[in-house]
Structure formats: C-alpha cells, structure tokens
Coordinates of all heavy atoms in Angstrom, one line a residue:
M1 N 7.4 -27.5 -23.0 CA 8.4 -28.0 -22.1 C 8.2 -29.6 -21.9 O 7.0 -30.0 -21.7 CB 8.3 -27.4 -20.8 CG 9.4 -27.4 -19.7 SD 11.0 -26.8 -20.3 CE 10.9 -25.1 -20.5
V2 N 9.2 -30.3 -21.9 CA 9.1 -31.8 -21.8 C 9.6 -32.1 -20.4 O 10.7 -31.7 -19.9 CB 10.0 -32.5 -22.9 CG1 9.9 -34.0 -22.6 CG2 9.6 -32.2 -24.2
K3 N 8.8 -33.0 -19.7 CA 9.3 -33.4 -18.3 C 9.6 -34.9 -18.5 O 8.7 -35.7 -18.8 CB 8.2 -33.2 -17.3 CG 7.9 -31.7 -17.0 CD 6.7 -31.6 -16.0 CE 6.4 -30.1 -15.9 NZ 5.3 -29.9 -14.8
I4 N 10.9 -35.2 -18.1 CA 11.2 -36.6 -18.1 C 11.9 -36.9 -16.8 O 12.3 -36.1 -16.0 CB 12.3 -37.0 -19.3 CG1 13.5 -36.1 -19.1 CG2 11.5 -36.8 -20.6 CD1 14.6 -36.5 -20.1
V5 N 12.0 -38.3 -16.6 CA 12.7 -38.8 -15.3 C 13.7 -39.8 -15.8 O 13.3 -40.7 -16.6 CB 11.8 -39.4 -14.3 CG1 12.6 -40.0 -13.1 CG2 10.9 -38.3 -13.8
I6 N 14.9 -39.7 -15.5 CA 16.0 -40.7 -15.7 C 16.3 -41.4 -14.4 O 16.7 -40.8 -13.5 CB 17.3 -40.0 -16.3 CG1 17.0 -39.2 -17.5 CG2 18.4 -41.1 -16.4 CD1 18.2 -38.5 -18.1
R7 N 16.1 -42.8 -14.5 CA 16.3 -43.6 -13.3 C 17.7 -44.3 -13.7 O 17.8 -45.1 -14.6 CB 15.3 -44.6 -13.0 CG 15.7 -45.6 -11.9 CD 14.7 -46.6 -11.6 NE 13.6 -46.0 -11.0 CZ 12.4 -46.6 -10.9 NH1 12.2 -47.7 -11.4 NH2 11.4 -46.0 -10.3
L8 N 18.7 -44.2 -12.7 CA 19.9 -44.9 -12.9 C 19.8 -46.2 -12.3 O 19.0 -46.5 -11.4 CB 21.0 -44.1 -12.2 CG 21.2 -42.6 -12.8 CD1 22.3 -41.9 -11.9 CD2 21.5 -42.7 -14.2
K9 N 20.8 -47.2 -12.6 CA 20.8 -48.5 -12.1 C 21.0 -48.5 -10.6 O 20.6 -49.4 -9.8 CB 21.8 -49.3 -12.8 CG 21.5 -49.6 -14.2 CD 22.4 -50.5 -14.9 CE 22.0 -50.7 -16.3 NZ 23.0 -51.4 -17.1
S10 N 21.6 -47.4 -10.1 CA 21.8 -47.2 -8.6 C 20.5 -47.0 -7.8 O 20.5 -47.0 -6.6 CB 22.8 -46.1 -8.3 OG 22.2 -44.9 -8.6
G11 N 19.4 -46.6 -8.6 CA 18.1 -46.3 -7.9 C 17.9 -44.8 -7.9 O 16.8 -44.4 -7.6
F12 N 18.9 -44.0 -8.2 CA 18.7 -42.5 -8.1 C 17.8 -42.1 -9.3 O 18.0 -42.6 -10.4 CB 20.1 -41.8 -8.2 CG 20.1 -40.4 -8.2 CD1 19.9 -39.6 -7.1 CD2 20.1 -39.7 -9.5 CE1 19.8 -38.2 -7.1 CE2 20.1 -38.3 -9.5 CZ 19.9 -37.6 -8.3
E13 N 16.9 -41.2 -9.0 CA 16.0 -40.7 -10.1 C 16.3 -39.2 -10.3 O 16.4 -38.5 -9.3 CB 14.6 -40.9 -9.7 CG 14.1 -42.3 -9.7 CD 12.7 -42.6 -9.4 OE1 12.0 -41.6 -9.2 OE2 12.3 -43.7 -9.5
L14 N 16.5 -38.8 -11.6 CA 16.8 -37.4 -11.9 C 15.7 -36.9 -12.7 O 15.6 -37.2 -13.9 CB 18.1 -37.5 -12.7 CG 18.6 -36.1 -13.2 CD1 19.0 -35.2 -12.1 CD2 19.8 -36.3 -14.1
P15 N 14.8 -36.0 -12.1 CA 13.8 -35.3 -12.9 C 14.4 -34.2 -13.7 O 15.2 -33.4 -13.2 CB 12.8 -34.8 -11.8 CG 13.7 -34.7 -10.6 CD 14.8 -35.6 -10.7
I16 N 13.9 -34.1 -14.9 CA 14.5 -33.0 -15.8 C 13.3 -32.3 -16.6 O 12.5 -33.0 -17.1 CB 15.4 -33.6 -16.8 CG1 16.6 -34.2 -16.1 CG2 15.9 -32.5 -17.8 CD1 17.6 -35.0 -17.0
E17 N 13.3 -31.0 -16.7 CA 12.4 -30.3 -17.6 C 13.3 -29.7 -18.7 O 14.3 -29.0 -18.3 CB 11.7 -29.2 -16.8 CG 10.6 -29.7 -15.9 CD 9.8 -28.5 -15.3 OE1 9.5 -27.6 -16.0 OE2 9.6 -28.6 -14.1
C18 N 13.0 -29.9 -19.9 CA 13.8 -29.4 -21.0 C 12.9 -29.1 -22.2 O 11.7 -29.5 -22.3 CB 14.9 -30.3 -21.4 SG 14.4 -31.9 -21.9
E19 N 13.4 -28.3 -23.1 CA 12.7 -28.0 -24.4 C 12.6 -29.1 -25.3 O 11.6 -29.3 -26.0 CB 13.3 -26.8 -25.0 CG 13.3 -25.5 -24.3 CD 14.0 -24.3 -24.9 OE1 14.4 -24.5 -26.0 OE2 14.1 -23.3 -24.2
E20 N 13.7 -30.0 -25.3 CA 13.7 -31.0 -26.3 C 14.6 -32.2 -25.7 O 15.6 -31.9 -25.1 CB 14.4 -30.6 -27.6 CG 14.3 -31.5 -28.7 CD 14.9 -31.0 -30.0 OE1 14.7 -29.8 -30.2 OE2 15.4 -31.7 -30.8
A21 N 14.1 -33.4 -25.8 CA 14.8 -34.6 -25.4 C 14.9 -35.7 -26.4 O 13.8 -35.9 -27.0 CB 14.2 -35.1 -24.1
N22 N 16.0 -36.0 -26.9 CA 16.2 -37.1 -28.0 C 17.0 -38.2 -27.4 O 18.1 -38.0 -26.8 CB 16.8 -36.5 -29.2 CG 16.0 -35.4 -29.9 OD1 14.8 -35.7 -30.2 ND2 16.6 -34.3 -30.1
F23 N 16.6 -39.4 -27.6 CA 17.2 -40.6 -27.2 C 17.4 -41.6 -28.4 O 16.6 -41.7 -29.2 CB 16.4 -41.3 -26.1 CG 16.2 -40.5 -24.9 CD1 15.1 -39.7 -24.7 CD2 17.2 -40.5 -23.9 CE1 15.0 -38.8 -23.6 CE2 17.0 -39.7 -22.7 CZ 15.9 -38.9 -22.6
Q24 N 18.7 -42.1 -28.4 CA 19.0 -43.1 -29.5 C 19.1 -44.5 -28.9 O 19.8 -44.6 -27.8 CB 20.3 -42.6 -30.2 CG 20.3 -41.3 -30.9 CD 20.6 -40.2 -29.9 OE1 21.4 -40.3 -29.0 NE2 19.9 -39.0 -30.1
T25 N 18.6 -45.4 -29.6 CA 18.8 -46.8 -29.1 C 19.7 -47.6 -30.1 O 19.7 -47.3 -31.3 CB 17.4 -47.5 -29.0 OG1 16.7 -47.4 -30.2 CG2 16.6 -46.8 -27.9
S26 N 20.2 -48.7 -29.5 CA 21.1 -49.6 -30.3 C 20.1 -50.5 -31.1 O 19.2 -51.0 -30.6 CB 21.9 -50.4 -29.3 OG 22.5 -51.5 -30.1
Q27 N 20.5 -50.6 -32.4 CA 19.7 -51.5 -33.3 C 19.9 -53.0 -32.9 O 19.1 -53.8 -33.1 CB 20.0 -51.3 -34.7 CG 19.5 -50.0 -35.2 CD 19.8 -49.7 -36.7 OE1 20.6 -50.5 -37.3 NE2 19.2 -48.7 -37.3
L28 N 21.1 -53.3 -32.3 CA 21.4 -54.7 -31.9 C 20.7 -55.1 -30.6 O 20.2 -56.2 -30.6 CB 22.9 -54.8 -31.8 CG 23.7 -54.7 -33.1 CD1 25.2 -54.7 -32.8 CD2 23.3 -55.8 -34.1
T29 N 20.8 -54.2 -29.6 CA 20.4 -54.6 -28.3 C 19.1 -54.0 -27.9 O 18.4 -54.4 -27.0 CB 21.5 -54.3 -27.2 OG1 21.6 -52.9 -27.2 CG2 22.7 -54.9 -27.5
G30 N 18.7 -52.9 -28.5 CA 17.5 -52.1 -28.1 C 17.8 -51.2 -26.9 O 16.9 -50.5 -26.5
G31 N 19.0 -51.3 -26.4 CA 19.4 -50.5 -25.2 C 19.7 -49.1 -25.6 O 19.9 -48.7 -26.8
L32 N 19.7 -48.2 -24.6 CA 20.1 -46.8 -24.8 C 21.5 -46.6 -25.3 O 22.4 -47.2 -24.7 CB 19.9 -46.0 -23.5 CG 20.1 -44.5 -23.6 CD1 19.1 -43.8 -24.5 CD2 20.1 -43.8 -22.1
A33 N 21.6 -45.9 -26.4 CA 23.0 -45.8 -27.0 C 23.5 -44.3 -26.8 O 24.6 -44.1 -26.9 CB 23.0 -46.1 -28.5
G34 N 22.6 -43.3 -26.7 CA 23.0 -42.0 -26.5 C 21.7 -41.1 -26.3 O 20.6 -41.6 -26.4
Y35 N 21.9 -39.9 -25.9 CA 20.9 -38.9 -25.7 C 21.3 -37.5 -25.9 O 22.6 -37.2 -25.8 CB 20.3 -39.1 -24.2 CG 21.4 -38.8 -23.2 CD1 21.5 -37.5 -22.7 CD2 22.2 -39.8 -22.7 CE1 22.5 -37.3 -21.7 CE2 23.1 -39.6 -21.8 CZ 23.3 -38.3 -21.3 OH 24.3 -38.0 -20.4
K36 N 20.4 -36.6 -26.1 CA 20.6 -35.1 -26.2 C 19.6 -34.4 -25.6 O 18.3 -34.7 -25.8 CB 20.7 -34.7 -27.7 CG 21.9 -35.2 -28.4 CD 22.0 -34.6 -29.8 CE 23.2 -35.0 -30.5 NZ 23.4 -34.5 -31.8
L37 N 19.9 -33.5 -24.6 CA 18.9 -32.7 -24.0 C 19.2 -31.2 -24.2 O 20.3 -30.7 -24.1 CB 19.0 -32.9 -22.4 CG 18.9 -34.4 -22.0 CD1 19.1 -34.5 -20.5 CD2 17.4 -34.9 -22.3
K38 N 18.1 -30.5 -24.7 CA 18.4 -29.1 -25.0 C 17.4 -28.2 -24.1 O 16.3 -28.6 -23.9 CB 18.0 -28.8 -26.5 CG 18.9 -29.5 -27.4 CD 18.7 -29.1 -28.8 CE 19.7 -29.8 -29.8 NZ 19.4 -29.4 -31.2
G39 N 17.9 -27.1 -23.7 CA 17.1 -26.2 -22.9 C 16.6 -26.7 -21.6 O 15.5 -26.4 -21.2
C40 N 17.5 -27.3 -20.9 CA 17.2 -27.8 -19.5 C 16.9 -26.6 -18.6 O 17.6 -25.6 -18.6 CB 18.3 -28.7 -18.9 SG 18.6 -30.2 -19.9
K41 N 15.8 -26.8 -17.8 CA 15.4 -25.8 -16.9 C 15.9 -26.0 -15.4 O 16.5 -25.1 -14.9 CB 13.9 -25.7 -16.9 CG 13.3 -24.6 -16.0 CD 11.8 -24.6 -16.2 CE 11.3 -23.5 -15.3 NZ 9.8 -23.5 -15.3
N42 N 15.6 -27.2 -14.8 CA 15.9 -27.3 -13.4 C 17.2 -28.2 -13.2 O 18.1 -27.8 -12.4 CB 14.7 -28.0 -12.7 CG 14.2 -29.2 -13.3 OD1 14.7 -29.7 -14.4 ND2 13.3 -29.8 -12.8
N43 N 17.3 -29.3 -13.8 CA 18.5 -30.2 -13.6 C 19.1 -30.4 -15.0 O 18.4 -30.7 -15.9 CB 18.1 -31.5 -13.1 CG 17.7 -31.4 -11.7 OD1 18.2 -30.8 -10.8 ND2 16.6 -32.2 -11.3
R44 N 20.4 -30.3 -15.1 CA 21.1 -30.4 -16.3 C 22.3 -31.4 -16.1 O 23.4 -31.0 -15.6 CB 21.6 -29.1 -16.8 CG 22.4 -29.2 -18.1 CD 22.9 -27.9 -18.7 NE 21.8 -27.0 -18.8 CZ 21.8 -25.7 -18.7 NH1 23.0 -25.1 -18.6 NH2 20.8 -24.9 -18.8
P45 N 22.1 -32.6 -16.5 CA 23.2 -33.6 -16.4 C 24.3 -33.2 -17.3 O 24.2 -32.9 -18.4 CB 22.6 -34.9 -16.8 CG 21.4 -34.6 -17.6 CD 20.9 -33.3 -17.1
I46 N 25.5 -33.2 -16.8 CA 26.8 -32.9 -17.6 C 27.3 -34.1 -18.2 O 27.6 -34.1 -19.5 CB 27.8 -32.2 -16.6 CG1 27.3 -30.9 -16.1 CG2 29.1 -32.0 -17.4 CD1 28.2 -30.3 -15.0
F47 N 27.2 -35.2 -17.5 CA 27.7 -36.4 -18.1 C 27.1 -37.6 -17.5 O 27.1 -37.7 -16.2 CB 29.3 -36.6 -18.0 CG 29.8 -37.8 -18.6 CD1 30.0 -37.9 -20.1 CD2 30.1 -38.8 -17.9 CE1 30.5 -39.0 -20.6 CE2 30.7 -40.0 -18.5 CZ 30.8 -40.1 -19.8
L48 N 26.4 -38.5 -18.2 CA 25.9 -39.7 -17.8 C 26.2 -40.8 -18.8 O 26.1 -40.7 -20.0 CB 24.4 -39.7 -17.7 CG 23.7 -38.9 -16.6 CD1 22.2 -38.8 -16.8 CD2 24.1 -39.4 -15.2
Q49 N 26.7 -42.0 -18.3 CA 27.0 -43.1 -19.1 C 25.7 -43.7 -19.5 O 24.9 -44.1 -18.6 CB 27.9 -44.1 -18.4 CG 29.2 -43.7 -18.1 CD 30.2 -43.8 -19.3 OE1 29.8 -44.1 -20.4 NE2 31.4 -43.7 -19.1
P50 N 25.4 -44.0 -20.7 CA 24.1 -44.6 -21.1 C 24.0 -46.0 -20.5 O 22.9 -46.4 -20.1 CB 24.3 -44.7 -22.7 CG 25.1 -43.6 -23.1 CD 26.2 -43.4 -22.0
E51 N 25.1 -46.7 -20.3 CA 25.0 -48.0 -19.6 C 24.6 -48.0 -18.2 O 24.2 -49.0 -17.6 CB 26.2 -48.8 -19.9 CG 27.5 -48.3 -19.3 CD 28.3 -47.4 -20.4 OE1 27.7 -47.1 -21.4 OE2 29.4 -47.0 -20.0
D52 N 24.7 -46.8 -17.5 CA 24.3 -46.6 -16.1 C 22.9 -46.3 -16.0 O 22.3 -46.2 -14.9 CB 25.2 -45.5 -15.5 CG 26.6 -45.8 -15.3 OD1 26.9 -47.1 -15.3 OD2 27.4 -44.9 -15.2
I53 N 22.2 -46.0 -17.1 CA 20.7 -45.6 -17.1 C 19.9 -46.9 -17.2 O 20.0 -47.7 -18.1 CB 20.4 -44.6 -18.2 CG1 21.2 -43.4 -18.0 CG2 18.9 -44.3 -18.3 CD1 21.1 -42.4 -19.2
E54 N 19.0 -47.0 -16.2 CA 18.1 -48.2 -16.1 C 16.9 -47.9 -17.1 O 16.5 -48.8 -17.8 CB 17.6 -48.5 -14.7 CG 16.7 -49.6 -14.6 CD 16.3 -50.0 -13.2 OE1 17.2 -49.8 -12.4 OE2 15.2 -50.3 -13.0
C55 N 16.3 -46.8 -16.9 CA 15.1 -46.4 -17.8 C 14.9 -44.9 -17.8 O 15.4 -44.2 -16.9 CB 13.8 -47.1 -17.3 SG 13.2 -46.7 -15.7
V56 N 14.1 -44.5 -18.7 CA 13.8 -43.1 -19.0 C 12.3 -43.0 -19.2 O 11.8 -43.8 -20.0 CB 14.5 -42.4 -20.1 CG1 14.1 -41.0 -20.3 CG2 16.0 -42.5 -19.9
W57 N 11.5 -42.1 -18.6 CA 10.1 -42.0 -18.9 C 9.7 -40.5 -18.9 O 10.4 -39.7 -18.3 CB 9.3 -42.7 -17.9 CG 9.2 -42.3 -16.5 CD1 8.3 -41.3 -16.0 CD2 9.9 -42.7 -15.4 NE1 8.6 -41.2 -14.6 CE2 9.5 -41.9 -14.2 CE3 10.9 -43.7 -15.2 CZ2 10.1 -42.2 -13.0 CZ3 11.5 -43.8 -14.0 CH2 11.0 -43.1 -12.9
Q58 N 8.7 -40.3 -19.7 CA 8.2 -38.9 -19.8 C 7.0 -38.8 -18.9 O 6.1 -39.7 -18.8 CB 7.7 -38.7 -21.3 CG 7.2 -37.3 -21.5 CD 6.8 -37.0 -22.9 OE1 7.0 -37.8 -23.8 NE2 6.2 -35.8 -23.2
V59 N 6.9 -37.7 -18.2 CA 5.9 -37.4 -17.2 C 4.8 -36.6 -18.0 O 5.0 -35.5 -18.5 CB 6.4 -36.5 -16.1 CG1 5.2 -36.2 -15.1 CG2 7.5 -37.2 -15.4
L60 N 3.6 -37.2 -18.1 CA 2.5 -36.6 -18.9 C 1.5 -35.9 -17.9 O 1.2 -36.6 -16.8 CB 1.8 -37.6 -19.7 CG 2.6 -38.3 -20.8 CD1 1.7 -39.3 -21.4 CD2 3.0 -37.3 -21.8
Q61 N 1.1 -34.8 -18.2 CA 0.1 -34.1 -17.4 C -1.3 -34.6 -17.8 O -1.5 -35.1 -18.9 CB 0.1 -32.6 -17.5 CG 1.4 -32.0 -17.2 CD 1.8 -32.2 -15.7 OE1 1.0 -32.1 -14.8 NE2 3.1 -32.5 -15.4
E62 N -2.4 -34.4 -17.0 CA -3.7 -34.9 -17.2 C -4.2 -34.3 -18.5 O -4.1 -33.0 -18.7 CB -4.6 -34.6 -16.1 CG -6.0 -35.1 -16.3 CD -6.9 -34.9 -15.0 OE1 -6.3 -34.8 -13.9 OE2 -8.0 -34.8 -15.2
G63 N -4.7 -35.0 -19.4 CA -5.2 -34.5 -20.7 C -4.2 -34.4 -21.8 O -4.5 -34.1 -22.9
E64 N -2.8 -34.6 -21.5 CA -1.8 -34.5 -22.4 C -1.5 -35.8 -23.2 O -1.6 -36.9 -22.5 CB -0.5 -34.1 -21.6 CG 0.7 -33.7 -22.5 CD 1.8 -33.2 -21.6 OE1 2.0 -33.7 -20.5 OE2 2.7 -32.4 -22.1
E65 N -1.2 -35.7 -24.4 CA -0.9 -36.9 -25.2 C 0.5 -36.9 -25.6 O 1.2 -35.9 -25.6 CB -1.8 -36.9 -26.4 CG -3.3 -37.1 -26.2 CD -4.1 -37.3 -27.4 OE1 -3.6 -37.7 -28.4 OE2 -5.3 -37.0 -27.3
E66 N 1.0 -38.1 -26.0 CA 2.4 -38.3 -26.4 C 2.7 -37.6 -27.6 O 1.9 -37.6 -28.6 CB 2.8 -39.8 -26.5 CG 2.7 -40.4 -25.2 CD 3.1 -41.9 -25.4 OE1 3.8 -42.3 -26.2 OE2 2.6 -42.7 -24.5

C-alpha cells in the first residue's frame, strides 16, 4: 500500500492510500502533466486538474525505503 498526500494550491491536503500511484511530468516545464491512482482505499479523487496541484509527496514509515 502506498501512502501519498496531494496538496492543492488552495492549501487543502488530500491524504490517499492506494495500491499504485503513477505521476507524469511535462518534459518542457517539469510540472505535473497527469496521474493515475489504482486501488484507492480511503480517499479517491474523481477529478483533479493537474495545474491545481501544488505538490505530491509519499509518506514513508520508519525503516521504509523509496
């Protein structure tokens, strides 16, 4: 299970637990271009504009590696 947090530019933070999380970045700008989340457990975003997302991070447990 992967734990991530998506922070929107509005300041809202959306914690998500899912089986798989994939993010695509723009080769021109390096910004978020798209994402896919599979097997969401607690929160499942139906639609988020990539340009509304400020940052995404993975929550690591103690002793866990990337």
